[in-house]
Amino acid sequence: VQLQASGGGLVQAGGSLRLSCEASIPTFSRLVMGWFRQAPGKEREFVTSISWGGTVRNYADSVRGRFTTSRDNAKNTVYLQMNSLKPEDTAVYYCAADANSVAGASPTRADYYDYWGQGTLVTVSS
């Protein structure tokens, strides 16, 4: 499985960005997808996850209400819409795929995820 994330960049505080992550696997609709991020000097942290059909979504407290994840199974793609960005959102954002969880699951722990993309850098200036 290859995951290709894109959409990162430089944005001012209060702005928006939309990240995309395309998976090269025909069974994408049976993957739980997650987004994690790692800021400079910090550990990787959970951002959001979405179940197979998109009905179950989890969000970190720090992004709830500002970020939205969605998926298009026909395009093998998961999205992360980020609004009201803050400087503390600056990080490398990684998409990840969980090939073992069942329908309706949406794990938040990184060790549930089997495949990881290369990351895309988001920089929010103050």
Side-chain angles (χ1 to χ4, degrees), residues 28-91:
F28 177 79
S29 62
R30 290 184 172 244
L31 297 176
V32 175
M33 298 300 296
W35 288 95
F36 292 77
R37 67 186 182 185
Q38 187 166 18
K42 295 187 177 180
E43 293 188 351
R44 183 175 53 188
E45 65 176 0
F46 169 77
V47 177
T48 182
S49 58
I50 185 168
S51 61
W52 290 6
T55 56
V56 180
R57 310 179 197 191
N58 286 315
Y59 294 94
D61 290 343
S62 58
V63 307
R64 187 174 291 113
R66 300 187 296 122
F67 290 11
T68 302
T69 188
S70 61
R71 66 190 295 161
D72 185 339
N73 287 342
K75 296 183 177 179
N76 282 15
T77 301
V78 62
Y79 303 99
L80 179 62
Q81 178 66 43
M82 305 185 294
N83 298 329
S84 302
L85 282 160
K86 304 175 182 180
E88 52 264 44
D89 294 318
T90 295

Short mmCIF file of all heavy atoms in Angstrom, two decimals, residues 28-91:
data_model
loop_
_atom_site.label_atom_id
_atom_site.label_comp_id
_atom_site.label_asym_id
_atom_site.label_seq_id
_atom_site.Cartn_x
_atom_site.Cartn_y
_atom_site.Cartn_z
N PHE A 28 -9.48 0.05 -0.75
CA PHE A 28 -9.44 1.27 0.06
C PHE A 28 -10.68 1.41 0.94
O PHE A 28 -10.59 1.88 2.08
CB PHE A 28 -9.32 2.49 -0.86
CG PHE A 28 -9.35 3.80 -0.13
CD1 PHE A 28 -8.21 4.27 0.50
CD2 PHE A 28 -10.50 4.58 -0.08
CE1 PHE A 28 -8.22 5.48 1.18
CE2 PHE A 28 -10.53 5.79 0.59
CZ PHE A 28 -9.38 6.25 1.22
N SER A 29 -11.82 0.98 0.43
CA SER A 29 -13.07 1.15 1.17
C SER A 29 -13.10 0.33 2.46
O SER A 29 -13.98 0.52 3.30
CB SER A 29 -14.26 0.78 0.30
OG SER A 29 -14.19 -0.58 -0.08
N ARG A 30 -12.14 -0.58 2.62
CA ARG A 30 -12.05 -1.38 3.85
C ARG A 30 -10.85 -0.98 4.71
O ARG A 30 -10.42 -1.74 5.58
CB ARG A 30 -11.98 -2.86 3.51
CG ARG A 30 -13.30 -3.38 2.97
CD ARG A 30 -13.27 -4.86 2.71
NE ARG A 30 -14.61 -5.35 2.37
CZ ARG A 30 -15.29 -6.20 3.10
NH1 ARG A 30 -14.77 -6.67 4.21
NH2 ARG A 30 -16.48 -6.58 2.72
N LEU A 31 -10.33 0.19 4.46
CA LEU A 31 -9.25 0.73 5.30
C LEU A 31 -9.80 1.82 6.20
O LEU A 31 -10.52 2.71 5.73
CB LEU A 31 -8.14 1.33 4.45
CG LEU A 31 -7.36 0.43 3.51
CD1 LEU A 31 -6.37 1.25 2.70
CD2 LEU A 31 -6.63 -0.65 4.29
N VAL A 32 -9.47 1.74 7.47
CA VAL A 32 -9.68 2.91 8.33
C VAL A 32 -8.54 3.87 8.03
O VAL A 32 -7.38 3.45 7.93
CB VAL A 32 -9.66 2.51 9.81
CG1 VAL A 32 -9.77 3.74 10.69
CG2 VAL A 32 -10.79 1.52 10.11
N MET A 33 -8.84 5.12 7.89
CA MET A 33 -7.82 6.10 7.56
C MET A 33 -7.65 7.10 8.70
O MET A 33 -8.63 7.50 9.34
CB MET A 33 -8.19 6.85 6.28
CG MET A 33 -8.31 5.96 5.06
SD MET A 33 -6.76 5.09 4.67
CE MET A 33 -5.68 6.46 4.27
N GLY A 34 -6.41 7.46 8.93
CA GLY A 34 -6.13 8.41 10.00
C GLY A 34 -5.17 9.49 9.55
O GLY A 34 -4.45 9.32 8.55
N TRP A 35 -5.18 10.57 10.28
CA TRP A 35 -4.21 11.66 10.09
C TRP A 35 -3.51 11.87 11.44
O TRP A 35 -4.16 11.95 12.48
CB TRP A 35 -4.88 12.96 9.67
CG TRP A 35 -5.40 12.98 8.26
CD1 TRP A 35 -6.68 12.71 7.85
CD2 TRP A 35 -4.68 13.31 7.09
NE1 TRP A 35 -6.79 12.84 6.49
CE2 TRP A 35 -5.57 13.22 5.99
CE3 TRP A 35 -3.36 13.69 6.82
CZ2 TRP A 35 -5.18 13.49 4.68
CZ3 TRP A 35 -2.98 13.96 5.52
CH2 TRP A 35 -3.88 13.85 4.46
N PHE A 36 -2.20 11.97 11.35
CA PHE A 36 -1.38 12.27 12.51
C PHE A 36 -0.48 13.44 12.15
O PHE A 36 -0.34 13.77 10.97
CB PHE A 36 -0.53 11.06 12.90
CG PHE A 36 -1.33 9.90 13.42
CD1 PHE A 36 -2.04 9.07 12.56
CD2 PHE A 36 -1.38 9.62 14.78
CE1 PHE A 36 -2.79 8.00 13.04
CE2 PHE A 36 -2.13 8.56 15.27
CZ PHE A 36 -2.83 7.75 14.40
N ARG A 37 0.12 14.05 13.14
CA ARG A 37 1.04 15.14 12.86
C ARG A 37 2.19 15.12 13.84
O ARG A 37 2.08 14.60 14.95
CB ARG A 37 0.33 16.49 12.91
CG ARG A 37 -0.17 16.91 14.28
CD ARG A 37 -0.98 18.19 14.18
NE ARG A 37 -1.45 18.65 15.50
CZ ARG A 37 -2.26 19.69 15.68
NH1 ARG A 37 -2.71 20.38 14.64
NH2 ARG A 37 -2.63 20.03 16.90
N GLN A 38 3.30 15.69 13.39
CA GLN A 38 4.47 15.79 14.25
C GLN A 38 5.09 17.16 14.08
O GLN A 38 5.54 17.53 12.99
CB GLN A 38 5.50 14.71 13.92
CG GLN A 38 6.66 14.68 14.89
CD GLN A 38 7.48 13.41 14.76
OE1 GLN A 38 7.42 12.69 13.76
NE2 GLN A 38 8.25 13.10 15.79
N ALA A 39 5.06 17.91 15.16
CA ALA A 39 5.66 19.23 15.18
C ALA A 39 7.14 19.12 15.52
O ALA A 39 7.56 18.13 16.13
CB ALA A 39 4.94 20.11 16.20
N PRO A 40 7.93 20.12 15.15
CA PRO A 40 9.36 20.07 15.46
C PRO A 40 9.62 19.89 16.95
O PRO A 40 9.05 20.61 17.78
CB PRO A 40 9.85 21.43 14.98
CG PRO A 40 8.88 21.86 13.93
CD PRO A 40 7.56 21.32 14.38
N GLY A 41 10.42 18.90 17.27
CA GLY A 41 10.78 18.66 18.65
C GLY A 41 9.73 17.98 19.49
O GLY A 41 9.90 17.82 20.70
N LYS A 42 8.63 17.56 18.84
CA LYS A 42 7.55 16.92 19.59
C LYS A 42 7.28 15.53 19.03
O LYS A 42 7.70 15.19 17.92
CB LYS A 42 6.29 17.77 19.52
CG LYS A 42 6.42 19.12 20.21
CD LYS A 42 5.08 19.84 20.26
CE LYS A 42 5.20 21.16 21.02
NZ LYS A 42 3.89 21.86 21.08
N GLU A 43 6.55 14.76 19.81
CA GLU A 43 6.19 13.43 19.36
C GLU A 43 5.00 13.50 18.40
O GLU A 43 4.23 14.46 18.41
CB GLU A 43 5.82 12.56 20.57
CG GLU A 43 7.00 12.27 21.48
CD GLU A 43 6.66 11.27 22.56
OE1 GLU A 43 5.47 10.92 22.71
OE2 GLU A 43 7.59 10.83 23.27
N ARG A 44 4.89 12.46 17.60
CA ARG A 44 3.75 12.37 16.70
C ARG A 44 2.46 12.27 17.50
O ARG A 44 2.42 11.56 18.51
CB ARG A 44 3.92 11.15 15.80
CG ARG A 44 2.85 10.96 14.75
CD ARG A 44 3.22 9.79 13.87
NE ARG A 44 3.52 8.59 14.64
CZ ARG A 44 4.02 7.48 14.11
NH1 ARG A 44 4.31 7.44 12.82
NH2 ARG A 44 4.25 6.44 14.88
N GLU A 45 1.42 12.94 17.03
CA GLU A 45 0.16 12.92 17.74
C GLU A 45 -1.00 12.67 16.78
O GLU A 45 -0.95 13.02 15.61
CB GLU A 45 -0.07 14.23 18.50
CG GLU A 45 -0.23 15.45 17.63
CD GLU A 45 -0.56 16.70 18.43
OE1 GLU A 45 -0.68 16.62 19.67
OE2 GLU A 45 -0.72 17.77 17.80
N PHE A 46 -2.03 12.08 17.33
CA PHE A 46 -3.25 11.80 16.59
C PHE A 46 -3.98 13.10 16.27
O PHE A 46 -4.07 14.00 17.11
CB PHE A 46 -4.15 10.90 17.42
CG PHE A 46 -5.55 10.73 16.90
CD1 PHE A 46 -5.81 9.90 15.82
CD2 PHE A 46 -6.60 11.42 17.48
CE1 PHE A 46 -7.09 9.75 15.34
CE2 PHE A 46 -7.89 11.28 17.01
CZ PHE A 46 -8.13 10.44 15.94
N VAL A 47 -4.53 13.18 15.04
CA VAL A 47 -5.35 14.32 14.65
C VAL A 47 -6.80 13.89 14.44
O VAL A 47 -7.71 14.43 15.07
CB VAL A 47 -4.81 14.97 13.36
CG1 VAL A 47 -5.72 16.11 12.92
CG2 VAL A 47 -3.38 15.47 13.57
N THR A 48 -7.00 12.92 13.56
CA THR A 48 -8.36 12.48 13.27
C THR A 48 -8.33 11.12 12.59
O THR A 48 -7.31 10.71 12.03
CB THR A 48 -9.08 13.50 12.36
OG1 THR A 48 -10.42 13.07 12.12
CG2 THR A 48 -8.37 13.65 11.02
N SER A 49 -9.44 10.42 12.64
CA SER A 49 -9.57 9.14 11.95
C SER A 49 -10.99 9.00 11.43
O SER A 49 -11.92 9.66 11.92
CB SER A 49 -9.23 7.97 12.88
OG SER A 49 -10.06 7.97 14.02
N ILE A 50 -11.14 8.14 10.42
CA ILE A 50 -12.44 7.96 9.79
C ILE A 50 -12.61 6.49 9.43
O ILE A 50 -11.71 5.86 8.90
CB ILE A 50 -12.58 8.89 8.56
CG1 ILE A 50 -13.97 8.81 7.95
CG2 ILE A 50 -11.49 8.61 7.53
CD1 ILE A 50 -14.24 9.91 6.93
N SER A 51 -13.78 5.97 9.71
CA SER A 51 -14.08 4.56 9.49
C SER A 51 -14.29 4.28 8.01
O SER A 51 -14.30 5.17 7.17
CB SER A 51 -15.31 4.14 10.29
OG SER A 51 -16.44 4.91 9.87
N TRP A 52 -14.49 3.00 7.70
CA TRP A 52 -14.62 2.56 6.31
C TRP A 52 -15.57 3.42 5.50
O TRP A 52 -15.24 3.88 4.43
CB TRP A 52 -15.16 1.13 6.27
CG TRP A 52 -14.26 0.06 6.74
CD1 TRP A 52 -13.01 0.20 7.32
CD2 TRP A 52 -14.53 -1.34 6.72
NE1 TRP A 52 -12.52 -1.03 7.63
CE2 TRP A 52 -13.41 -1.99 7.28
CE3 TRP A 52 -15.61 -2.11 6.26
CZ2 TRP A 52 -13.35 -3.38 7.40
CZ3 TRP A 52 -15.54 -3.47 6.37
CH2 TRP A 52 -14.43 -4.10 6.93
N GLY A 53 -16.78 3.55 6.00
CA GLY A 53 -17.82 4.25 5.26
C GLY A 53 -17.92 5.72 5.61
O GLY A 53 -18.77 6.43 5.06
N GLY A 54 -17.08 6.16 6.53
CA GLY A 54 -17.08 7.57 6.90
C GLY A 54 -18.08 7.94 7.97
O GLY A 54 -18.23 9.12 8.30
N THR A 55 -18.76 6.95 8.53
CA THR A 55 -19.80 7.27 9.51
C THR A 55 -19.24 7.53 10.90
O THR A 55 -19.91 8.20 11.71
CB THR A 55 -20.82 6.12 9.59
OG1 THR A 55 -20.12 4.91 9.90
CG2 THR A 55 -21.56 5.96 8.27
N VAL A 56 -18.05 7.02 11.19
CA VAL A 56 -17.44 7.23 12.50
C VAL A 56 -16.16 8.03 12.31
O VAL A 56 -15.27 7.62 11.58
CB VAL A 56 -17.13 5.90 13.20
CG1 VAL A 56 -16.50 6.16 14.57
CG2 VAL A 56 -18.40 5.07 13.34
N ARG A 57 -16.10 9.15 12.97
CA ARG A 57 -14.92 10.02 12.89
C ARG A 57 -14.52 10.42 14.30
O ARG A 57 -15.37 10.76 15.12
CB ARG A 57 -15.22 11.27 12.06
CG ARG A 57 -15.87 10.96 10.72
CD ARG A 57 -16.19 12.21 9.93
NE ARG A 57 -17.15 11.90 8.88
CZ ARG A 57 -17.46 12.73 7.90
NH1 ARG A 57 -16.88 13.91 7.84
NH2 ARG A 57 -18.34 12.39 7.00
N ASN A 58 -13.25 10.36 14.55
CA ASN A 58 -12.71 10.82 15.83
C ASN A 58 -11.78 12.00 15.58
O ASN A 58 -11.11 12.05 14.55
CB ASN A 58 -11.95 9.69 16.53
CG ASN A 58 -12.88 8.65 17.11
OD1 ASN A 58 -13.87 8.98 17.73
ND2 ASN A 58 -12.56 7.38 16.91
N TYR A 59 -11.75 12.90 16.54
CA TYR A 59 -10.90 14.07 16.43
C TYR A 59 -10.16 14.30 17.75
O TYR A 59 -10.71 14.08 18.83
CB TYR A 59 -11.72 15.33 16.13
CG TYR A 59 -12.39 15.32 14.78
CD1 TYR A 59 -13.70 14.88 14.63
CD2 TYR A 59 -11.70 15.76 13.65
CE1 TYR A 59 -14.31 14.86 13.39
CE2 TYR A 59 -12.30 15.74 12.39
CZ TYR A 59 -13.61 15.29 12.27
OH TYR A 59 -14.20 15.28 11.04
N ALA A 60 -8.94 14.78 17.64
CA ALA A 60 -8.24 15.24 18.83
C ALA A 60 -8.93 16.49 19.35
O ALA A 60 -9.49 17.29 18.57
CB ALA A 60 -6.78 15.56 18.48
N ASP A 61 -8.89 16.67 20.64
CA ASP A 61 -9.54 17.85 21.24
C ASP A 61 -8.99 19.15 20.66
O ASP A 61 -9.74 20.13 20.51
CB ASP A 61 -9.34 17.85 22.76
CG ASP A 61 -10.14 16.75 23.44
OD1 ASP A 61 -11.08 16.21 22.82
OD2 ASP A 61 -9.81 16.43 24.60
N SER A 62 -7.73 19.15 20.32
CA SER A 62 -7.08 20.37 19.85
C SER A 62 -7.57 20.82 18.48
O SER A 62 -7.36 21.97 18.10
CB SER A 62 -5.56 20.18 19.82
OG SER A 62 -5.21 19.10 18.98
N VAL A 63 -8.21 19.92 17.73
CA VAL A 63 -8.63 20.28 16.37
C VAL A 63 -10.14 20.18 16.19
O VAL A 63 -10.67 20.62 15.16
CB VAL A 63 -7.94 19.41 15.31
CG1 VAL A 63 -6.42 19.45 15.48
CG2 VAL A 63 -8.45 17.97 15.32
N ARG A 64 -10.83 19.61 17.16
CA ARG A 64 -12.28 19.43 17.02
C ARG A 64 -12.97 20.77 16.82
O ARG A 64 -12.70 21.75 17.51
CB ARG A 64 -12.85 18.72 18.25
CG ARG A 64 -14.32 18.34 18.10
CD ARG A 64 -14.81 17.52 19.28
NE ARG A 64 -14.21 16.19 19.29
CZ ARG A 64 -13.35 15.77 20.22
NH1 ARG A 64 -13.00 16.57 21.19
NH2 ARG A 64 -12.87 14.54 20.17
N GLY A 65 -13.85 20.81 15.82
CA GLY A 65 -14.55 22.04 15.50
C GLY A 65 -13.86 22.89 14.45
O GLY A 65 -14.46 23.80 13.89
N ARG A 66 -12.57 22.59 14.20
CA ARG A 66 -11.82 23.34 13.19
C ARG A 66 -11.43 22.46 12.00
O ARG A 66 -11.36 22.94 10.87
CB ARG A 66 -10.54 23.92 13.80
CG ARG A 66 -10.79 24.88 14.96
CD ARG A 66 -9.48 25.55 15.39
NE ARG A 66 -8.51 24.58 15.91
CZ ARG A 66 -7.29 24.42 15.40
NH1 ARG A 66 -6.88 25.15 14.37
NH2 ARG A 66 -6.45 23.51 15.93
N PHE A 67 -11.16 21.20 12.26
CA PHE A 67 -10.73 20.28 11.22
C PHE A 67 -11.87 19.31 10.92
O PHE A 67 -12.62 18.92 11.83
CB PHE A 67 -9.52 19.47 11.67
CG PHE A 67 -8.24 20.24 11.79
CD1 PHE A 67 -8.20 21.63 11.73
CD2 PHE A 67 -7.05 19.56 11.95
CE1 PHE A 67 -7.01 22.33 11.84
CE2 PHE A 67 -5.84 20.23 12.06
CZ PHE A 67 -5.83 21.62 12.02
N THR A 68 -11.94 18.89 9.66
CA THR A 68 -12.93 17.90 9.25
C THR A 68 -12.27 16.87 8.32
O THR A 68 -11.60 17.27 7.36
CB THR A 68 -14.10 18.56 8.51
OG1 THR A 68 -14.70 19.54 9.35
CG2 THR A 68 -15.16 17.52 8.14
N THR A 69 -12.48 15.61 8.62
CA THR A 69 -11.98 14.57 7.73
C THR A 69 -13.14 13.99 6.94
O THR A 69 -14.27 13.90 7.44
CB THR A 69 -11.23 13.47 8.51
OG1 THR A 69 -10.62 12.58 7.58
CG2 THR A 69 -12.17 12.69 9.41
N SER A 70 -12.83 13.60 5.71
CA SER A 70 -13.82 12.96 4.87
C SER A 70 -13.09 12.01 3.93
O SER A 70 -11.86 12.03 3.85
CB SER A 70 -14.63 14.00 4.08
OG SER A 70 -13.77 14.76 3.24
N ARG A 71 -13.84 11.20 3.23
CA ARG A 71 -13.23 10.27 2.29
C ARG A 71 -14.11 10.07 1.08
O ARG A 71 -15.34 10.19 1.18
CB ARG A 71 -12.93 8.94 2.98
CG ARG A 71 -14.14 8.16 3.42
CD ARG A 71 -13.72 6.97 4.31
NE ARG A 71 -12.93 5.99 3.58
CZ ARG A 71 -12.15 5.08 4.17
NH1 ARG A 71 -12.04 5.04 5.49
NH2 ARG A 71 -11.47 4.21 3.43
N ASP A 72 -13.46 9.76 -0.02
CA ASP A 72 -14.16 9.41 -1.26
C ASP A 72 -13.63 8.05 -1.67
O ASP A 72 -12.54 7.94 -2.24
CB ASP A 72 -13.89 10.47 -2.32
CG ASP A 72 -14.68 10.24 -3.60
OD1 ASP A 72 -15.12 9.09 -3.83
OD2 ASP A 72 -14.86 11.19 -4.36
N ASN A 73 -14.38 7.02 -1.38
CA ASN A 73 -13.91 5.66 -1.65
C ASN A 73 -13.79 5.38 -3.15
O ASN A 73 -13.00 4.51 -3.55
CB ASN A 73 -14.81 4.63 -0.97
CG ASN A 73 -14.61 4.60 0.54
OD1 ASN A 73 -13.60 5.10 1.06
ND2 ASN A 73 -15.57 4.05 1.26
N ALA A 74 -14.54 6.09 -3.95
CA ALA A 74 -14.44 5.91 -5.40
C ALA A 74 -13.11 6.44 -5.93
O ALA A 74 -12.64 6.01 -6.99
CB ALA A 74 -15.60 6.61 -6.09
N LYS A 75 -12.52 7.38 -5.20
CA LYS A 75 -11.25 7.98 -5.61
C LYS A 75 -10.07 7.50 -4.76
O LYS A 75 -8.96 7.99 -4.91
CB LYS A 75 -11.33 9.50 -5.55
CG LYS A 75 -12.34 10.10 -6.52
CD LYS A 75 -12.33 11.62 -6.45
CE LYS A 75 -13.29 12.22 -7.47
NZ LYS A 75 -13.30 13.70 -7.40
N ASN A 76 -10.33 6.56 -3.85
CA ASN A 76 -9.27 6.06 -2.96
C ASN A 76 -8.57 7.19 -2.22
O ASN A 76 -7.35 7.15 -2.03
CB ASN A 76 -8.23 5.25 -3.76
CG ASN A 76 -8.69 3.85 -4.08
OD1 ASN A 76 -9.88 3.54 -3.97
ND2 ASN A 76 -7.77 3.00 -4.48
N THR A 77 -9.33 8.17 -1.80
CA THR A 77 -8.74 9.37 -1.24
C THR A 77 -9.43 9.76 0.07
O THR A 77 -10.66 9.69 0.18
CB THR A 77 -8.82 10.54 -2.23
OG1 THR A 77 -8.12 10.16 -3.44
CG2 THR A 77 -8.17 11.79 -1.66
N VAL A 78 -8.62 10.20 1.02
CA VAL A 78 -9.11 10.77 2.26
C VAL A 78 -8.65 12.22 2.33
O VAL A 78 -7.58 12.56 1.82
CB VAL A 78 -8.62 9.96 3.48
CG1 VAL A 78 -7.10 9.98 3.61
CG2 VAL A 78 -9.27 10.43 4.77
N TYR A 79 -9.47 13.05 2.94
CA TYR A 79 -9.21 14.49 2.98
C TYR A 79 -9.15 14.98 4.43
O TYR A 79 -9.77 14.41 5.33
CB TYR A 79 -10.31 15.25 2.25
CG TYR A 79 -10.49 14.82 0.81
CD1 TYR A 79 -11.50 13.92 0.47
CD2 TYR A 79 -9.66 15.30 -0.19
CE1 TYR A 79 -11.67 13.51 -0.84
CE2 TYR A 79 -9.83 14.89 -1.51
CZ TYR A 79 -10.84 14.00 -1.83
OH TYR A 79 -11.01 13.60 -3.13
N LEU A 80 -8.44 16.06 4.62
CA LEU A 80 -8.42 16.76 5.89
C LEU A 80 -8.59 18.24 5.60
O LEU A 80 -7.68 18.89 5.09
CB LEU A 80 -7.12 16.50 6.65
CG LEU A 80 -7.00 17.21 7.99
CD1 LEU A 80 -8.10 16.74 8.95
CD2 LEU A 80 -5.64 16.96 8.63
N GLN A 81 -9.77 18.74 5.89
CA GLN A 81 -10.04 20.16 5.75
C GLN A 81 -9.69 20.85 7.05
O GLN A 81 -10.25 20.51 8.10
CB GLN A 81 -11.52 20.39 5.41
CG GLN A 81 -11.92 21.86 5.29
CD GLN A 81 -11.25 22.54 4.11
OE1 GLN A 81 -11.18 22.00 3.03
NE2 GLN A 81 -10.77 23.76 4.34
N MET A 82 -8.78 21.80 6.97
CA MET A 82 -8.30 22.48 8.17
C MET A 82 -8.67 23.95 8.08
O MET A 82 -8.20 24.65 7.17
CB MET A 82 -6.78 22.31 8.29
CG MET A 82 -6.33 20.87 8.28
SD MET A 82 -4.56 20.67 8.57
CE MET A 82 -3.91 21.44 7.09
N ASN A 83 -9.51 24.39 8.99
CA ASN A 83 -9.95 25.79 9.05
C ASN A 83 -9.45 26.44 10.33
O ASN A 83 -9.05 25.75 11.28
CB ASN A 83 -11.47 25.86 8.98
CG ASN A 83 -12.02 25.30 7.69
OD1 ASN A 83 -11.40 25.36 6.64
ND2 ASN A 83 -13.22 24.73 7.77
N SER A 84 -9.50 27.75 10.36
CA SER A 84 -9.09 28.51 11.54
C SER A 84 -7.74 28.04 12.06
O SER A 84 -7.55 27.79 13.26
CB SER A 84 -10.15 28.37 12.64
OG SER A 84 -11.41 28.82 12.19
N LEU A 85 -6.80 27.92 11.16
CA LEU A 85 -5.49 27.38 11.52
C LEU A 85 -4.76 28.30 12.50
O LEU A 85 -4.89 29.53 12.45
CB LEU A 85 -4.65 27.16 10.28
CG LEU A 85 -5.03 25.90 9.50
CD1 LEU A 85 -4.53 25.97 8.06
CD2 LEU A 85 -4.47 24.66 10.19
N LYS A 86 -4.01 27.66 13.38
CA LYS A 86 -3.24 28.36 14.40
C LYS A 86 -1.76 28.03 14.23
O LYS A 86 -1.42 26.97 13.70
CB LYS A 86 -3.69 27.90 15.79
CG LYS A 86 -5.17 28.06 16.06
CD LYS A 86 -5.53 27.47 17.42
CE LYS A 86 -7.01 27.58 17.70
NZ LYS A 86 -7.37 27.00 19.03
N PRO A 87 -0.88 28.89 14.71
CA PRO A 87 0.55 28.57 14.61
C PRO A 87 0.90 27.21 15.24
O PRO A 87 1.79 26.52 14.74
CB PRO A 87 1.20 29.73 15.38
CG PRO A 87 0.26 30.87 15.18
CD PRO A 87 -1.11 30.25 15.22
N GLU A 88 0.20 26.83 16.28
CA GLU A 88 0.48 25.54 16.91
C GLU A 88 0.04 24.34 16.07
O GLU A 88 0.31 23.20 16.44
CB GLU A 88 -0.16 25.46 18.31
CG GLU A 88 -1.62 25.81 18.35
CD GLU A 88 -1.86 27.26 18.74
OE1 GLU A 88 -1.14 28.15 18.23
OE2 GLU A 88 -2.77 27.50 19.57
N ASP A 89 -0.63 24.59 14.96
CA ASP A 89 -0.96 23.51 14.02
C ASP A 89 0.21 23.20 13.09
O ASP A 89 0.14 22.23 12.31
CB ASP A 89 -2.18 23.87 13.18
CG ASP A 89 -3.46 23.98 14.01
OD1 ASP A 89 -3.66 23.13 14.90
OD2 ASP A 89 -4.23 24.93 13.75
N THR A 90 1.25 24.00 13.14
CA THR A 90 2.42 23.77 12.30
C THR A 90 3.03 22.41 12.60
O THR A 90 3.35 22.10 13.76
CB THR A 90 3.47 24.87 12.53
OG1 THR A 90 2.93 26.12 12.08
CG2 THR A 90 4.76 24.57 11.78
N ALA A 91 3.17 21.59 11.57
CA ALA A 91 3.67 20.23 11.74
C ALA A 91 3.76 19.55 10.38
O ALA A 91 3.22 20.06 9.39
CB ALA A 91 2.74 19.42 12.65
#
